[in-house]
Amino acid sequence: MGKKEKDILGTSALVWLTVGNMVGSGIMVLTGAAAAKTGYSVWLAFIIATVLGFLGSWPQILAAGTSVLDGGMFSLNSYFGHPVFGGLYLMGTLPEIMGQASVALGIGMYIKTMLPNTDTRIVAVVIAVVFYLCNIRGVSVIAGVQKYMVYILFAGLGIFTVVSLKGLNPEAVNFAGNEFMTHGWKGFIVAVNMLTFSTQSYWASLSFSKYARNPKKSVPKAMVIAFPIIMAIYGLVTLAGVGGVDLQTFAGNTLGDVAKVIFPTWFLYIFIIAAPMMALATTLNGNQSAYSLMIAPAAEEGWLPKVFTKTNRKDMPYVAATLVVLLIILPVIFNWDVDFITANVMLFTNLAGILQYFAMWRMPVKYPELWEKSTFHMKKWKFHLLMLLSFAIRMILLGAAIISLSTKSLIINILVAVILALFCIIRFKMGMVNYKTEQPKREYLDEE
């Protein structure tokens, strides 16, 4: 039985989901911190970080053009690699979901700047629940909400950029200036590494393959189209931010601090709603839906109880979506230290993320017929060269992340990684995982 037309996502809807998911708190917060490391060249650092994030995500783009992956990154690792790869990725994702509590709290904090008596935790819970209700209403609702929030975000960042660029400080584009790379190449590289945090979220688009029209073309196409849009946003907005004021005002601060200087108070509140709040909201909406769409297929294979596979009449995994929203709001309600939790599984999460490269490396040999029909079919030496480039980028970022850990945190991370890895291996060896070896077949996914 086919899906209703309104419940099938086209390329444009997938682009808005990808862009909205990517442009989040990073552009509002990290740009000032990165400017403290590299000065006016922060806008160039963000552009390079965007390019590196795109190149490092090529396994996901190639996978999207090769197979229909119901469970997104989980399915990529399990289907192309090994079922244990999928289990490991899932275990690393669960604490990541808890990290979304910080995003919800961020929205609450921005509302508190306008309404000082606001309880940020209540706002965070309400926002997360609202997006949960949107998510279980179907992909057309998810995509529609995302599209209009992205429109508002574009308007807010666009006005900020135009106003700031009118008074652009020439030093912001003076490559030979003393404040362009304040700490030389080392500081520039540190800034690039810091900003790549906001440039690697193409993975979320994979989770919507099940609901996409002609997914092996539309999903990777949306990822590729989203790349220059994201690069333009990051480059222009950051240039406007650092060039709209002096470096001392911008470095170590946020775009919100710049907005306080260039906008009157009444418009500042409009900017807060249109830019930082929408940036956080689009990320939360996209991530909540992508995570729930990934959990349901993982439960189907036996990594979680079967109850998480249940769907409603909109074909949305409402039990998985309920788990996701609970993982987000429980840390908020009980005031858990989310930063501590995510910091101590950071190594495992990054290592689990690297499994995609090993999974995709095997794909042309493991599934030659699929690869032959892939949107991105190419000679194997080109494919492997691209995988090596992506893998090298990811390893550099992992190395930088490990260096940033304290000895105590590194030991805890290693212990957590070993325990979770053993859990996944033992569960598989005991025959508790029923993994798939064939693609799902659906009428509405037929290629045009």
Side-chain angles (χ1 to χ4, degrees), residues 56 59-60 63 73-93 303 347-363 366 383 387 390-391 394-395 398 417 420-422 424-425:
Q60 301 156 33
M73 288 298 294
F74 167 81
S75 296
L76 185 158
N77 283 287
S78 180
Y79 186 60
F80 289 144
H82 189 279
V84 173
F85 285 14
L88 289 168
Y89 189 85
L90 176 68
M91 294 301 110
T93 297
W303 289 106
L347 178 61
F348 177 78
T349 300
N350 276 275
L351 289 172
I354 284 174
L355 293 174
Q356 64 179 296
Y357 299 94
F358 296 103
M360 285 300 293
W361 186 272
R362 300 178 57 193
M363 183 269 293
K366 190 175 181 180
F383 171 82
M387 287 300 100
S390 298
F391 179 71
R394 187 60 181 257
M395 289 302 294
L398 174 61
L420 291 177
L422 287 174
C424 291
I425 293 170

Side-chain angles (χ1 to χ4, degrees), residues 111-349:
I111 291 179
K112 189 177 178 66
T113 61
M114 296 182 288
L115 303 171
N117 294 325
T118 300
D119 188 317
T120 56
R121 292 199 293 171
I122 292 177
V123 171
V125 171
V126 169
I127 291 293
V129 171
V130 167
F131 285 134
Y132 161 74
L133 295 174
C134 290
N135 289 336
I136 62 175
R137 291 278 296 170
V139 291
S140 59
V141 175
I142 296 170
V145 170
Q146 190 81 337
K147 178 177 70 173
Y148 289 113
M149 288 196 301
V150 169
Y151 286 168
I152 296 171
L153 173 63
F154 279 7
L157 292 178
I159 293 171
F160 172 86
T161 301
V162 170
V163 173
S164 294
L165 288 180
K166 281 184 177 180
L168 183 68
N169 186 335
E171 288 300 308
V173 289
N174 181 6
F175 288 74
N178 293 330
E179 294 185 307
F180 194 74
M181 284 190 183
T182 51
H183 294 86
W185 283 105
K186 182 178 180 180
F188 185 77
I189 292 171
V190 169
V192 169
N193 180 66
M194 184 185 298
L195 294 169
T196 52
F197 168 82
S198 300
T199 65
Q200 303 177 70
S201 294
Y202 295 94
W203 64 269
S205 306
L206 278 178
S207 296
F208 294 94
S209 298
K210 176 180 178 179
Y211 303 93
R213 179 185 294 109
N214 196 5
K216 287 190 277 187
K217 294 189 184 299
S218 61
V219 176
K221 184 179 179 180
M223 293 177 172
V224 173
I225 292 173
F227 164 60
I229 295 173
I230 292 165
M231 183 166 62
I233 292 171
Y234 282 161
L236 286 172
V237 174
T238 306
L239 174 61
V242 72
V245 293
D246 59 89
L247 181 60
Q248 290 68 33
T249 301
F250 186 76
N253 294 310
T254 68
L255 289 187
D257 295 309
V258 178
K260 290 177 183 178
V261 175
I262 65 173
F263 292 138
T265 303
W266 67 270
F267 194 82
L268 174 64
Y269 291 151
I270 295 176
F271 172 79
I272 288 174
I273 295 171
M277 284 180 59
M278 286 301 108
L280 294 171
T282 53
T283 297
L284 190 60
N285 179 52
N287 281 342
Q288 276 191 233
S289 52
Y291 284 134
S292 61
L293 294 175
M294 182 180 73
I295 286 173
E300 194 174 328
E301 292 192 16
W303 289 106
L304 291 170
K306 290 291 184 183
V307 68
F308 292 110
T309 64
K310 288 188 175 183
T311 58
N312 58 17
R313 62 186 180 87
K314 293 288 187 178
D315 196 30
M316 298 305 294
Y318 68 96
V319 181
T322 303
L323 173 64
V324 170
V325 76
L326 285 174
L327 287 173
I328 294 171
I329 67 176
L330 287 177
V332 176
I333 294 171
F334 294 105
N335 203 26
W336 295 344
D337 189 343
V338 177
D339 290 338
F340 176 81
I341 295 170
T342 53
N344 286 309
V345 296
M346 183 270 291
L347 178 61
F348 177 78
T349 300

Side-chain angles (χ1 to χ4, degrees), residues 94-112:
L94 295 177
E96 268 191 5
I97 297 173
M98 297 178 71
Q100 295 298 300
S102 299
V103 179
L105 284 167
I107 297 174
M109 289 173 65
Y110 277 115
I111 291 179
K112 189 177 178 66

Side-chain angles (χ1 to χ4, degrees), residues 351-397:
L351 289 172
I354 284 174
L355 293 174
Q356 64 179 296
Y357 299 94
F358 296 103
M360 285 300 293
W361 186 272
R362 300 178 57 193
M363 183 269 293
V365 175
K366 190 175 181 180
Y367 297 106
E369 292 182 4
L370 270 181
W371 177 235
E372 190 68 29
K373 297 178 181 178
S374 173
T375 303
F376 296 103
H377 181 74
M378 63 185 76
K379 292 183 178 180
K380 286 185 180 178
W381 72 266
K382 293 181 180 179
F383 171 82
H384 288 138
L385 182 63
L386 194 55
M387 287 300 100
L388 286 173
L389 175 62
S390 298
F391 179 71
I393 292 171
R394 187 60 181 257
M395 289 302 294
I396 291 171
L397 299 177

